[in-house]
């Protein structure tokens, strides 16, 4: 940025040639995206900081407040003057270790505005803004400074002033089941109780997803109406404060992804791009598929707790290892093998022991047997949120698994709150965030990959920590049998999945089981492997269902890849349907998956992503015309077709149904 002085007034010529007046306490900076269509404007108006956002000349967010309120002093929100500002352009292309897209372009324009309070104690604050073609981001950076060594953050004043009449889709925050709720549509004006991010909003001609990136050492952001605007509500600690930090400190990025429609949001990689590249070599991370001593507990055949119907016995584990080998599934999750599941495990988790097994289970025999048969054990740590108890054992428990050749751990944080330092804290509070991070970094040290259930929300940190393979963090299939409607999986791609992959535990083919009836058709269970990204995917049903009942459908589950060269959303509308095509990582085959809500629908697919002039054999797994999630879940058809680039195909999805397709180069 060039700077000119006239008398005591200064002018800046921004990176893009616009001229802005600058005197001490008034300034405007426009940060434009590389294609110029997305613009975020920072305003310093008589010392007060705010911003607004435009796309294609239309206001997306009107002028919105910025600032941080502190416990022991006045807020960092006004009384500022500009010290200087720097702009830069950035354009890099990086390779992911796994994900929905292998090669990702990170292209943005950035301006950092260095502010200083006019009056004593002359505190410093830097506002850093980035404009991407698919959205904007900003964060607060509080530098080390003479008058302030640390801060107790009482509130974050950030507003997102969208039109309050806009439709929005969200799940409630601060509820006992954390992120595990069904989505509801409401005008923004009715978000008077806090909701989680990503929050999706149709602001008219543009869809936005408000979220955050790189959440470290701070409470997770929720949002709620405050007067006339939507405002950040940072998850508080038990004493009501939002965060205790030492300087220098940067907040997570506040992010607004923008798409021309809801489907367009799903292509954004902005959240990952706002995270740093890994500091170490993570080439040891490896996506995997796994069976589990798991669903048998949900349908009531076995139990987590020891007893006559105990699931995690040495004998069952060895049978499941044989099944993995037969089915070509490389991993086996074992839940319920350790001490802590007796009685009401949700209440008793305080005394869980992560290395002591029940008398009928022998980790050495099981892991040796797994190794001999080429099957890896996926370990399990159910903490029940008793962090004090877990952290005392965590390192040793990781080492225990490592000593048994276990490289993957599914962790769990069931319970409505966490116990940390003897106090009850939200999972999404600063102390919760710090725990999840500690667990992740320690796992990396031991070469362990994590699948976190009841996690902290995804904010793209898996770019920096690629051993964070996947997380749950939404209502998943464990809620079937009553609490899931077919629309749920049609909301996820436009909401929760914008924050990263999810372990939805797909592949339940025993859809009409009397004790856990699924609100899906059977082929839709295959579609999930394509529509819900996860670098660790479970084949969640019991092995006999795959071996004996549906070997024809299982073939798809076995073959579907766990990471993709690229992903192209084809059709979709929030809450109604979603269809996506994904190309095999380093390969030429394509997979397409689609899901619909309670309504059956015929969709037109324009196949324009295949290699031109080449024949592809499409193996299609679809609902029969008379299939229905309520009374004819098992109506399915498997067929093969020759498909070439440029073809149009019609695909039918039954109510609560879906389809999966593999396109193999001939
Ligand atoms: C909830 C998790 O989501 C589920 O997968 C797990 O089996 C139970 N907690 C027990 O840990
Ligand atoms: Ca869960």
């Amino acid at each position: 940025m060039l700077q000119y002085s006239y008398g005591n007034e200064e002018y800046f010529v921004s990176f893009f040639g616009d001229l802005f007046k600058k005197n001490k306490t008034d300034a405007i900076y426009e940060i434009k995206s590389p294609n110029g269509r997305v613009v975020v404007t920072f305003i310093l108006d008589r010392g007060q900081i705010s911003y607004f956002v435009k796309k294609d000349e239309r206001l997306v967010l009107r002028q919105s407040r910025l600032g941080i309120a502190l416990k022991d002093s006045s807020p960092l929100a006004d009384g500022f003057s500009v010290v200087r500002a720097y702009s830069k352009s950035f354009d890099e292309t990086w390779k992911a270790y796994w994900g929905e897209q292998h090669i990702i372009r990170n292209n943005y324009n950035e301006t950092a505005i260095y502010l200083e309070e006019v009056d004593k104690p002359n505190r410093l604050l830097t506002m850093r803004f980035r404009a991407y073609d698919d959205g904007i981001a900003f964060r607060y950076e509080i530098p080390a400074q003479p008058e302030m060594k640390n801060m107790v953050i009482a509130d974050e004043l950030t507003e997102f002033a969208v039109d309050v009449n806009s439709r929005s889709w969200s799940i409630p925050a601060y509820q006992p089941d954390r992120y595990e709720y069904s989505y509801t549509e409401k005008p923004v004006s009715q978000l008077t109780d806090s909701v989680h991010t990503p929050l999706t909003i149709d602001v008219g001609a543009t869809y936005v997803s408000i979220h955050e990136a790189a959440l470290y050492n701070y409470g997770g952001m929720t949002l709620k109406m405050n007067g006339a605007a939507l405002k950040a509500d940072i998850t508080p600690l038990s004493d009501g404060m939002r965060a205790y930090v030492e300087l220098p400190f940067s907040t997570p990025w506040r992010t607004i992804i923008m798409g021309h429609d809801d489907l367009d949001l799903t292509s954004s990689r902005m959240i990952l791009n706002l995270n740093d590249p890994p500091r170490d070599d993570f080439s040891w991370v490896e996506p995997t598929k796994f069976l589990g001593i798991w669903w048998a507990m949900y349908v009531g055949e076995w139990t987590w707790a020891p007893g006559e119907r105990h699931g995690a016995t040495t004998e069952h584990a060895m049978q499941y290892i044989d099944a993995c080998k037969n089915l070509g599934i490389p991993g086996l999750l074992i839940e319920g093998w350790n001490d802590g599941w007796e009685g009401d495990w949700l209440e008793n988790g305080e005394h869980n022991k992560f290395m002591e097994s029940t008398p009928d289970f022998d980790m050495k025999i099981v892991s040796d047997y797994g190794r001999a048969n080429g099957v890896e054990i996926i370990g399990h740590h159910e903490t029940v949120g008793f962090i004090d108890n877990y952290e005392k054992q965590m390192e040793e428990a990781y080492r225990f698994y490592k000593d048994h050749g276990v490289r993957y751990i599914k962790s769990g944080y069931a319970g409505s709150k966490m116990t940390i330092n003897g106090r009850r804290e939200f999972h999404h509070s600063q102390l919760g965030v710090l725990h999840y991070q500690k667990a992740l970094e320690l796992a990396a040290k031991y070469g362990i990959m994590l699948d976190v259930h009841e996690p902290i929300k995804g904010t793209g940190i898996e770019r920096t920590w690629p051993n964070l393979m996947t997380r749950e963090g939404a209502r998943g299939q464990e809620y079937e049998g009553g609490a899931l409607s077919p629309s749920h999986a049609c909301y996820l791609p436009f909401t929760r999945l914008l924050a990263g992959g999810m372990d939805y535990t797909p592949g339940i083919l025993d859809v009409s089981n009397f004790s856990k009836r699924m609100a899906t058709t059977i082929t839709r269970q295959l579609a999930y492997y394509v529509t819900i990204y996860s670098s660790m995917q479970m084949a969640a049903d019991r092995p006999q269902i795959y071996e004996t009942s549906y070997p024809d459908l299982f073939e798809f589950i076995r073959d579907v890849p766990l990471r993709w060269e690229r992903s192209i959303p084809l059709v979709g509308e929030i809450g109604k349907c979603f269809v996506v095509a994904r190309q095999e990582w380093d390969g030429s085959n394509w997979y397409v998956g689609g899901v619909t809500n309670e309504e059956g629908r015929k969709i037109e697919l324009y196949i324009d992503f295949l290699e031109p002039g080449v024949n592809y054999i499409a193996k299609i797994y679809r609902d029969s015309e008379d299939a229905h999630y309520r009374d004819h879940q098992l109506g399915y058809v498997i067929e093969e077709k020759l498909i070439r680039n440029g073809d149009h195909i019609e695909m039918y999805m039954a109510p609560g149904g879906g389809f999966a397709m593999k396109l193999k180069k001939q």
Side-chain angles (χ1 to χ4, degrees):
M1 183 166 299
L2 297 170
Q3 189 176 334
Y4 298 92
S5 292
Y6 295 95
N8 61 0
E9 284 194 339
E10 284 173 323
Y11 288 83
F12 286 94
V13 178
S14 84
F15 203 79
F16 306 96
D18 313 305
L19 190 67
F20 298 112
K21 185 179 159 196
K22 184 233 165 199
N23 62 28
K24 279 191 165 326
T25 55
D26 291 292
I28 290 181
Y29 297 90
E30 268 193 355
I31 303 95
K32 284 189 186 156
S33 67
N35 69 8
R37 293 174 56 187
V38 171
V39 184
V40 53
T41 305
F42 169 78
I43 302 173
L44 182 67
D45 180 9
R46 280 162 292 172
Q48 197 168 26
I49 54 177
S50 63
Y51 74 109
F52 65 88
V53 179
K54 279 184 169 178
K55 184 172 183 234
D56 295 328
E57 305 291 321
R58 290 170 66 126
L59 212 50
V60 173
L61 254 72
R62 56 174 205 284
Q63 194 173 346
S64 306
R65 203 175 169 200
L66 293 168
I68 291 180
L70 303 178
K71 179 172 175 247
D72 303 311
S73 51
S74 60
L76 293 168
D78 48 27
F80 283 112
S81 63
V82 174
V83 178
R84 60 182 187 276
Y86 290 117
S87 294
K88 69 169 186 183
S89 276
F90 188 81
D91 193 359
E92 69 166 3
T93 299
W94 57 279
K95 276 192 171 181
Y97 283 101
W98 47 260
E100 295 179 90
Q101 192 174 323
H102 192 171
I103 298 164
I104 297 177
R105 185 168 178 200
N106 184 13
N107 183 202
Y108 60 82
N109 291 318
E110 174 182 290
T111 296
I113 302 126
Y114 295 77
L115 303 161
E116 182 182 345
E117 278 177 325
V118 175
D119 295 327
K120 285 223 169 315
N122 307 107
R123 293 171 304 177
L124 306 172
L125 168 69
T126 303
M127 292 303 309
R128 189 177 301 274
F129 287 87
R130 286 186 185 170
Y132 294 78
D133 289 344
D134 55 351
I136 66 103
F138 60 88
R139 71 178 183 196
Y140 303 84
E141 298 176 2
I142 303 96
Q145 44 195 293
E147 296 301 324
M148 209 166 43
K149 301 279 171 247
N150 43 49
M151 302 191 320
V152 182
I153 296 173
D155 196 9
E156 189 181 306
L157 308 176
T158 311
E159 284 179 353
F160 302 90
V162 292
D163 177 353
V164 296
N165 298 313
S166 311
R167 296 185 301 161
S168 72
W169 294 269
S170 63
I171 52 169
Y174 306 126
Q175 300 300 309
D177 287 329
R178 308 151 306 267
Y179 299 118
E180 298 174 0
Y181 287 89
S182 294
Y183 285 84
T184 49
E185 181 184 327
K186 283 181 187 166
V188 170
S189 59
Q190 283 181 22
L191 303 181
T192 44
D193 292 320
S194 292
V195 296
H196 280 302
T197 73
L199 169 64
T200 304
I201 307 173
D202 170 10
V203 296
T206 300
Y207 275 72
V208 303
S209 165
I210 304 179
H211 188 45
E212 58 185 315
L215 169 59
Y216 294 102
N217 191 22
Y218 201 72
M221 180 174 75
T222 72
L223 296 166
K224 80 172 187 192
M225 283 299 294
N226 177 46
L230 197 60
K231 178 187 163 297
D233 173 21
I234 306 303
T235 306
L237 293 160
S238 52
D239 65 2
M241 293 298 110
R242 316 296 172 128
Y244 289 76
V245 300
E246 299 203 335
L247 304 188
F249 176 75
S250 299
T251 66
W253 291 97
R254 306 293 165 224
T255 60
I256 305 168
I257 299 174
M258 287 173 242
H260 52 80
D261 59 21
D262 39 1
L263 193 61
D264 193 27
L265 293 175
T266 68
S267 308
S268 176
R269 306 286 172 249
M270 194 179 88
I271 301 295
L272 286 173
N273 277 331
L274 284 159
N275 281 272
D276 292 334
R279 283 184 286 270
D280 295 318
D281 173 35
F282 278 87
S283 51
W284 52 271
V285 303
E286 208 180 335
T288 196
K289 229 172 254 170
F290 56 106
L291 290 179
I293 295 197
W294 189 71
W295 195 247
M297 275 92 93
Y298 277 91
V299 293
E301 287 170 9
W302 290 347
T303 58
W304 275 273
E308 255 176 36
R309 289 184 296 117
H310 186 208
T313 65
T314 302
E315 197 189 338
H316 290 157
M318 289 167 86
Q319 284 163 4
Y320 269 47
I321 287 169
D322 291 343
C324 285
K325 194 176 173 191
N326 290 340
L327 291 165
I329 295 289
L332 173 66
L333 164 71
I334 305 174
E335 292 198 9
W337 68 266
N338 65 312
D339 179 278
W341 294 92
E342 265 172 289
D344 186 345
W345 62 271
L346 275 167
E347 290 298 319
N348 305 335
E350 199 173 352
H351 308 292
N352 272 5
K353 297 200 181 68
F354 296 91
M355 288 151 291
E356 277 176 37
S357 57
T358 55
D360 51 1
F361 184 84
D362 189 312
M363 182 56 88
K364 175 146 175 34
I365 294 175
V366 169
S367 54
D368 284 352
Y369 189 70
R371 200 171 311 112
N373 286 282
V375 175
E376 288 200 58
I377 305 302
I378 316 285
H380 187 226
H381 281 170
E382 177 49 75
T383 69
V384 203
F386 288 99
I387 303 306
D388 293 338
N389 175 52
Y390 183 43
E391 286 198 356
K392 269 185 239 150
Q393 305 174 61
M394 192 162 66
E395 182 149 14
E396 223 186 313
Y398 281 167
R399 209 179 298 129
F400 172 85
Y401 271 136
K402 195 179 163 60
D403 290 347
H404 287 89
V406 174
R407 297 189 303 150
Y408 300 92
I409 298 177
K410 170 178 167 180
S411 54
Y413 295 87
S416 59
K417 285 204 175 171
M418 290 179 155
T419 304
I420 307 178
N421 304 333
R423 302 174 74 147
R424 300 292 283 163
E425 304 285 356
F426 285 114
H427 287 61
H428 319 302
S429 64
Q430 182 191 20
L431 286 172
V433 169
L434 283 168
H435 166 72
Y436 288 113
Q437 190 59 28
K438 187 173 180 179
L440 177 60
E441 293 185 18
L442 199 61
K445 181 176 153 196
Y446 283 93
I448 284 171
M449 292 162 269
L450 293 182
D451 167 3
V452 187
H453 277 233
E454 297 80 40
I456 188 63
K457 67 170 117 175
T459 56
I461 64 168
E462 56 272 28
R463 180 179 177 196
T464 315
W465 300 95
N467 63 317
L468 178 48
M469 303 302 285
T470 191
R471 36 160 83 78
E472 188 191 35
R475 205 168 258 219
Q477 290 226 103
E478 62 183 350
Y479 282 84
E480 283 286 10
L484 274 187
S485 72
S487 61
H488 183 64
C490 302
Y491 283 109
L492 290 175
F494 306 95
T495 52
R496 155 68 181 82
L497 299 181
L498 301 176
M502 174 182 179
D503 181 12
Y504 191 71
T505 62
I508 306 292
L509 300 184
D510 186 14
V511 279
S512 39
N513 188 295
F514 68 96
S515 61
K516 260 292 199 191
R517 196 184 165 91
M518 322 295 285
T520 78
T521 63
I522 195 165
T523 45
R524 178 191 175 98
Q525 290 290 327
L526 307 188
Y528 287 152
Y529 289 90
V530 188
T531 62
I532 302 177
Y533 180 69
S534 185
S535 76
M536 284 174 70
Q537 285 281 28
M538 197 170 188
D541 216 329
R542 294 141 298 158
Q544 64 272 24
I545 301 295
Y546 301 136
E547 286 171 324
T548 335
S549 311
Y550 301 104
D552 51 349
L553 295 175
F554 177 72
E555 194 186 77
F556 183 86
I557 299 179
R558 185 195 59 209
D559 292 347
V560 66
L562 296 157
R563 52 185 173 176
W564 305 101
E565 193 62 31
R566 60 201 179 108
S567 298
I568 305 176
L570 298 180
V571 181
E573 201 180 328
I574 186 166
K576 295 195 172 153
C577 64
F578 179 62
V579 182
V580 62
R582 304 194 197 261
Q583 184 186 9
E584 219 172 29
W585 181 275
D586 279 339
S588 51
N589 297 334
W590 284 79
Y591 289 73
V592 185
V595 288
T596 179
N597 62 359
E598 294 71 4
E599 279 172 43
R601 64 187 82 227
K602 220 175 228 152
I603 49 157
E604 285 261 317
L605 292 180
Y606 299 97
I607 308 292
D608 59 359
F609 44 83
L610 299 179
E611 202 180 313
V614 175
N615 286 338
Y616 287 79
I617 307 286
K619 187 154 190 185
I620 302 169
Y621 306 78
R622 64 168 174 86
D623 298 323
S624 60
E625 276 72 20
D626 57 352
H628 197 292
Y629 74 95
R630 253 192 244 114
D631 48 27
H632 190 28
Q633 297 165 283
L634 301 181
Y636 71 93
V637 176
I638 302 179
E639 60 193 3
E640 285 196 346
K641 270 189 187 159
L642 193 73
I643 291 185
R644 292 165 69 87
N645 197 49
D647 285 353
H648 286 188
I649 52 173
E650 247 185 20
M651 189 61 64
Y652 174 68
M653 296 189 278
F659 71 92
M661 191 195 299
K662 174 178 179 176
L663 291 143
K664 193 170 180 307
K665 214 166 161 181
Q666 208 180 23

